Amino acid sequence: MTSPLEALADELVDHRFKGLPPDAAGRTVRALAAERRNLYTGGFTTPVLTLSAEAVHHNLGALERFAARHGLALAPHGKTSMAPQLFRRQLDRGAWGLTLAVPHQVRVARAFGVPRVFLANELVDPAALAWLAAAQDEDPAFRCVTYVDSARGVALMDAALREAGALRPLDVVVELGAAGARSGVRDAAQAAAVADAVARTGTLRLTGVAGYEGELPGADAASVREWLEALCALAVEFDLAGRFAGTQEIIVSAGGSAWFDVVAEVFGRLPGLSRPVLRLLRSGAYVSHDDGRYRDATPFNRVPAEGSLLPAFRLWTQVVSRPEPGLALLNAGKRDIAYDLGLPLVQAVRSAGGEVRRGAGLVVQRLADQHAFVTGPQAAMPEVGDWVGLGMSHPCTIFEKWPLIPEVAGDGTVVDYIRTFF
């Protein structure tokens, strides 16, 4: 039988997928991939988002090795890409499972056989809890762990799971937040109250503590380290109080893509507990990396000996107008470009003859819905018809704009097509 992942290659190429060659309509993705077309001469239309095959491979290996060196399990944030092919590559490289944020994402992961999910939210939707209870009961090998951060939330979860007739308890971790941050309890006393509420249910099982350091107000290495130490202290306190009696392992989890070096440092000092500890790192943006926020904040910049990450995205656009000196309009805008964490960078210009040069001196000044405004010295400006390659910041809001993304080798050969589900 064809697996859901294999079935992606049987999907027909058509008008739903931006940038793909018009003459490929009606072919399957598998057939188009087998043609190994050249991105620049194979009929692709602009704008077209591409992923570097070499960069993705490099990045997968870099974080796999980092996690192994530091005794960390990896549950990368799948909501970054929502791409089952990339999910499978992460799992094949030893990932414990995936981190996700909302029920829809969990359903996608389950449809493609992801065995373990860390749901980094408190789930209080009765319909979603009923579905999750059925998914756990139908497949003993499937495991979902989710946040709790309030007694009311715990009560709502318990009622919904009872109504659904759940046979297996749902594993939960108490989420630690911080004043002015995102969700999560604000101190140890609130954490204990939530843990007490969990203990009073028959549908939930407390299995650890977790949180996200990336939303700490004014986060820096010192404040992140202090918060992580408080998270570890909470795990120790809960363990001494016997709160983990119902679980075989204790989960302690954190980790976005900006501070995983500090997570590894602090988690490495966590003392032995009464049960084996799963030190779970949840960084997800590393797969594609970027040319903005994560390029500047990657822990590998601070500790180069630990490894490196490479930006994998390039959005190829085309100059469609040169209405005045020093201004070029590209045929990509807010519909195509991630712009919530900064405007894109001009990386390269490719002329009609195939010559490629760096985009030095060229700047994207602003975006309209379908245009980017590029300015620069008159001598550096691209001509109408030239392709302009852009680098972008924030993978989460890049992937979501492109349902089928060509994966391109360094010589321009398109080796695969990555399907996303947002």
Side-chain angles (χ1 to χ4, degrees):
M1 293 180 62
T2 301
S3 73
L5 195 62
E6 293 169 332
L8 289 178
D10 296 325
E11 195 165 13
L12 292 180
V13 173
D14 58 23
H15 59 276
R16 293 170 296 164
F17 304 124
K18 300 188 289 185
L20 300 193
D23 67 357
R27 289 176 172 81
T28 65
V29 173
R30 185 192 318 279
L32 182 57
E35 293 179 9
R36 297 179 72 83
R37 296 195 185 197
N38 184 275
L39 177 71
Y40 311 109
T41 61
F44 292 85
T45 63
T46 57
V48 58
L49 179 68
T50 65
L51 268 174
S52 162
E54 292 86 354
V56 169
H57 178 78
H58 171 90
N59 294 345
L60 288 168
L63 210 63
E64 176 192 19
R65 292 187 292 272
F66 176 85
R69 278 196 303 274
H70 293 281
L72 301 170
L74 184 60
H77 230 307
K79 62 94 176 173
T80 298
S81 70
M82 288 305 296
Q85 292 144 290
L86 299 183
F87 294 171
R88 176 47 52 190
R89 295 184 200 180
Q90 291 170 310
L91 293 170
D92 287 347
R93 301 296 293 253
W96 172 90
L98 291 180
T99 298
L100 297 164
V102 293
H104 156 70
Q105 295 169 358
V106 181
R107 292 182 63 197
V108 172
R110 283 303 296 154
F112 289 93
V114 175
R116 300 186 190 96
V117 168
F118 188 101
L119 181 57
N121 252 331
E122 184 170 66
L123 181 59
V124 295
D125 184 317
L129 284 161
W131 173 85
L132 181 56
Q136 286 203 142
D137 292 344
E138 290 167 3
D139 183 359
F142 173 51
R143 183 184 185 193
C144 181
V145 180
T146 186
Y147 279 166
V148 288
D149 78 347
S150 69
R152 175 171 171 78
V154 167
L156 291 170
M157 295 170 75
D158 182 44
L161 291 168
R162 289 181 185 278
E163 178 68 21
L167 302 177
R168 287 173 56 190
L170 176 61
D171 286 338
V172 297
V173 292
V174 173
E175 181 192 6
L176 179 66
R182 207 167 62 180
S183 54
V185 299
R186 282 357 194 192
D187 55 41
Q190 290 181 16
V194 174
D196 287 340
V198 170
R200 290 192 293 269
T201 73
T203 58
L204 304 176
R205 176 171 55 199
L206 185 64
T207 190
V209 297
Y212 175 51
E213 74 288 347
E215 290 293 334
L216 295 177
D220 57 20
S223 62
V224 167
R225 186 175 292 108
E226 181 180 7
W227 180 86
L228 287 163
E229 289 170 348
L231 181 70
C232 290
L234 185 61
V236 172
E237 178 182 326
F238 276 14
D239 191 44
L240 290 173
R243 295 187 183 279
F244 299 130
T247 187
Q248 294 183 339
E249 69 176 0
I250 299 168
I251 296 174
V252 181
S253 179
S257 292
W259 298 104
F260 58 75
D261 56 332
V262 186
V263 172
E265 171 200 331
V266 177
F267 279 11
R269 298 197 300 267
L270 183 66
L273 301 179
S274 64
R275 286 157 177 74
V277 177
L278 184 72
R279 296 167 172 84
L280 194 60
L281 180 68
R282 304 197 308 274
S283 306
Y286 75 95
V287 175
S288 57
H289 201 43
D290 72 4
D291 279 288
R293 176 173 181 169
Y294 292 111
R295 174 203 61 196
D296 296 335
T298 175
F300 291 152
N301 290 344
R302 296 187 291 270
V303 194
E306 288 279 20
S308 64
L309 295 173
L310 301 174
F313 283 118
R314 180 166 287 180
L315 178 67
W316 283 106
T317 67
Q318 195 166 28
V319 179
V320 293
S321 180
R322 284 282 310 276
E324 60 189 61
L327 174 64
L329 293 177
L330 310 181
N331 65 343
K334 295 177 181 179
R335 306 289 187 223
D336 316 293
I337 294 170
Y339 58 93
D340 59 313
L341 292 178
L343 293 173
L345 305 176
V346 179
Q347 295 178 328
V349 175
R350 190 177 192 276
S351 72
E355 297 85 9
V356 179
R357 60 182 172 86
R358 294 178 60 191
L362 300 177
V363 177
V364 176
Q365 290 285 4
R366 64 187 180 95
L367 300 176
D369 284 353
Q370 300 290 176
H371 293 94
F373 293 69
V374 173
T375 61
Q378 183 65 14
M381 297 301 296
E383 300 292 341
V384 171
D386 287 354
W387 280 28
V388 177
L390 303 179
M392 293 172 289
S393 180
H394 202 192
C396 297
T397 52
I398 300 172
F399 276 109
E400 70 180 18
K401 297 176 184 294
W402 292 86
L404 195 62
I405 305 170
E407 185 176 13
V408 184
D411 65 357
T413 301
V414 179
V415 298
D416 204 353
Y417 296 84
I418 304 300
R419 185 70 158 93
T420 66
F421 291 85
F422 282 92

